[in-house]
Amino acid sequence: MSTAQPAKGTRDFAAEEVRKRQFIFSTIIGVYEEFGFEPLETPAMENIETLTGKYGEEGDQLLFRILRSGNFLTKVAEDELTTEALNKLRAKIVDKGLRYDLTIPFARFVAKNHQTIGLPYKRYQIQPVWRADRPAKGRYREFYQCDADVAGAKSALSDSEFVLMIDQVFSRLNMPRVTTHLNNRKVLFGIAENHGLEGRFIDMTVAFDKLDKIGVDGVAKELANRGFSETEVHALMPYLNLNGSNEELIAEMRSKFTNTETGNVGLTELEEVLEYVSAINIVHSDVKVNFALARGLNYYTGTIYEVTLNGVEMGSVASGGRYDDLTSMFGLNDVPGVGLSFGAERIYDVMEQLNLFPKNQTGGLKVYFTNMDAKNALVSFKAMNQMRNAGIKCDMFPTPSKLGKQFKLADKKQAQYVVVIGDDEAAKNLLALKDLATGTQHLLSVEEAISHIKNGQ
Amino acid sequence: MSTAQPAKGTRDFAAEEVRKRQFIFSTIIGVYEEFGFEPLETPAMENIETLTGKYGEEGDQLLFRILRSGNFLTKVAEDELTTEALNKLRAKIVDKGLRYDLTIPFARFVAKNHQTIGLPYKRYQIQPVWRADRPAKGRYREFYQCDADVAGAKSALSDSEFVLMIDQVFSRLNMPRVTTHLNNRKVLFGIAENHGLEGRFIDMTVAFDKLDKIGVDGVAKELANRGFSETEVHALMPYLNLNGSNEELIAEMRSKFTNTETGNVGLTELEEVLEYVSAINIVHSDVKVNFALARGLNYYTGTIYEVTLNGVEMGSVASGGRYDDLTSMFGLNDVPGVGLSFGAERIYDVMEQLNLFPKNQTGGLKVYFTNMDAKNALVSFKAMNQMRNAGIKCDMFPTPSKLGKQFKLADKKQAQYVVVIGDDEAAKNLLALKDLATGTQHLLSVEEAISHIKNGQ
């Protein structure tokens, strides 16, 4: 006998969860589509070479590897079969892996199809990814990503569209108001360059990125731990203490940037994004320049952003940024990219906590037909299918059995109405329609019942 | 540099294909929902024990196996590392596999959750499955299944709903009219039993199942090859030569069934299904009793059916049947099932061939905004976002560049309109809206352009 458990770190989604998740996905898709992004779907399995070396050493460890099909040892010589040769062996018995994110498959697709799709190419992709992480609360081995990216566009106009889409998505989901924290990696680099610290740029950003968790003093300690001298720490601290409007922040930073060309380019890029965003009436978000924001991924080269919910402790619920080089690893040079990823799992958790899922969207069955006896089953069956033809979701108990049991099941299925057709009702060509919420019951013809239900009476 | 090819036997789906596939899926979902089926999603990966031994020896060969994560040799002793120990070794280094169909995960889910979901439980599931088959035309290693099943229902009422759903789905897809071939495994068993051939029931059904490919004489030869005597073949042939209406066919079979109880039960079940189906006005299908239909899968025990398109050579585009035991392999006894699977890949191919996809459903972008120069980019950007707010799908070229190039891209993106805002238009607070199909151009305000587009003028 096999266990009925799903694999560790994976989940089954029953009806209510599917519908709620679908509500999030379709809201995001609605916005993506409106902004001219096109759907893309790529396979769950990629050639293993497509995946390895793309996500750093840790990422390589977290790839799910698929065994060669058939005789998987066909490429292995007998004397190679030692545990010491582990990695070498793995390379020979594995030829595919599971998708680890949606960006690499997107890059592969663009490299392969750039001539037919035409650049700039805007795509969205909502599919599961798999990571062999240790499962924990909120951390799964299979989870969905909800990405949108533009390939082949260099303008701040493209970057600004992501800020606008974030505003729309959280507004339409009826979520709490959000803050979009905006920065530019060139500004971060400029801070380092301004003080001759280009060589330790990564160390600096890693420390900066912890600001909201450990505070200014914490960042100072972190920098010291990472080998920055007291003078250097002293030089960097003022950048974390800036205050004011976005314009004031940028002006103040510009006044400090006496010794960095890259930093000033970054500030100009930031201003351009803000100019486009300000031209549009955003309704549900505060867009704030945040010079401490660094984002972990080192391939970002321009705009970076992260979204937090105002008044809700949840961390980032969406994020993204611009990268100079999307596709050269697949043989296509000079294609920059800029993208966005929504944290669907976190969004789901917040909406669940705050009870934000719309009731009418998530419900299932409308009417449950009871099965009284073999004689009237066919009468009920006909009435039910007449309702279905009118677009009403119906179901019926398949065999005659006790009414109590059937009502209990109707309740479990969250049906709004139960229909009973016994001899009396059948003789009059009517049905008894019972509203499960109010307990009221009406004797109606099928046509009357359909309009009763459709009018929500 | 990595190859930009997807893994062998897998496909990327670009926008147009995604939309067309989605059209098929959402049509099927619409019908499933109307009939009271609830969505279910299960993980791509299952514990390997959940999958092995469920699909026969061939199925086991076709499973994609996932290597244990981390040090995958941790359970292997050094002296076990010989190629001879292949299967033993595989069992130790693999702990998960990719979903091979949707029925086993459904059964696992029902066994685990039967108390909370309540039986009978009707679920639909539209997800990819993976098989390490040799790729060929129309045969992929990753493909979608579109299943609906009922668990825990014993009545012909449930079986009949699948026949009604088939009718609705092909009607709503605007496909050619279909024939649903209906049989019952107990009738097939009855034919064998009637002549004391129960022990060779499987051999008989395999031969019968080839009737539409090789004809009556071919089946006779096939039976002979499988060791049936001349007398036995002679006894079986008349069952394949029956003619008449469904009622006549059943009556004739009943008159022959002098020596089989099971066979007569099968005929009664068949009559019950037909009684429910006949009570409803089906619009797009012919339901035909076909006593030669056997269906390959040996777990079917009652109703079986297969759907073909009238006048189109494509084989079966949907099929299913009833099985007595769905979940005992996961520790839950006495749960019968009945199900349906649509062949989405074949349906797609036919709809493509016959040009049946609705034009307005599959299109993408409505309006493409050109980018004339930096000065007017912001004006265009504002106008575009005003249109988006009105629900119109828009996009804009991100950087100022040659108009010809931009029009070419608009064409590639299948936009219906192009908007140009240069100095003249901007000065008048107007935009030039060009219809790409007709070539006509109008000078309009944004508001006028929105109503022009919405009215489809």
Side-chain angles (χ1 to χ4, degrees), chain B residues 393-413:
Chain B
K393 289 186 199 174
C394 302
D395 200 9
M396 176 171 165
F397 204 81
T399 41
S401 56
K402 286 186 186 148
L403 263 192
K405 183 179 163 189
Q406 299 187 46
F407 267 88
K408 219 169 135 187
L409 193 69
D411 215 50
K412 200 163 230 173
K413 306 280 182 195

Side-chain angles (χ1 to χ4, degrees), chain B residues 161-190:
Chain B
E161 294 202 319
F162 294 97
V163 179
L164 301 181
M165 291 199 293
I166 288 163
D167 183 67
Q168 282 298 307
V169 164
F170 289 103
S171 166
R172 293 185 198 184
L173 287 174
N174 207 15
M175 293 270 283
R177 198 176 168 84
V178 301
T179 299
T180 300
H181 305 267
L182 197 63
N183 198 9
N184 188 301
R185 293 277 283 197
K186 295 190 185 80
V187 174
L188 280 172
F189 187 81

Side-chain angles (χ1 to χ4, degrees), chain B residues 2 45 52 67 114 156 176 190 208 225 246 250 263 307 310 328 343 354 362 364 419:
Chain B
S2 309
M45 303 186 300
T52 45
L67 210 60
H114 62 104
F208 273 30
N225 289 344
N246 291 338
I250 290 172
V307 181
N310 298 356
S328 69
L354 303 180
T362 53
V419 165

Side-chain angles (χ1 to χ4, degrees), chain A residues 387 416-421 425 428-436 438-446 448-453 456-457:
Chain A
M387 283 200 187
Q416 288 181 44
Y417 301 93
V418 166
V419 165
V420 178
I421 304 180
E425 290 85 3
K428 294 181 202 148
N429 211 8
L430 296 175
L431 54 80
L433 182 75
K434 182 164 184 160
D435 186 319
L436 285 180
T438 63
T440 54
Q441 186 165 315
H442 296 275
L443 208 59
L444 303 167
S445 70
V446 182
E448 286 167 347
I450 289 171
S451 50
H452 184 96
I453 292 162
Q457 288 173 308

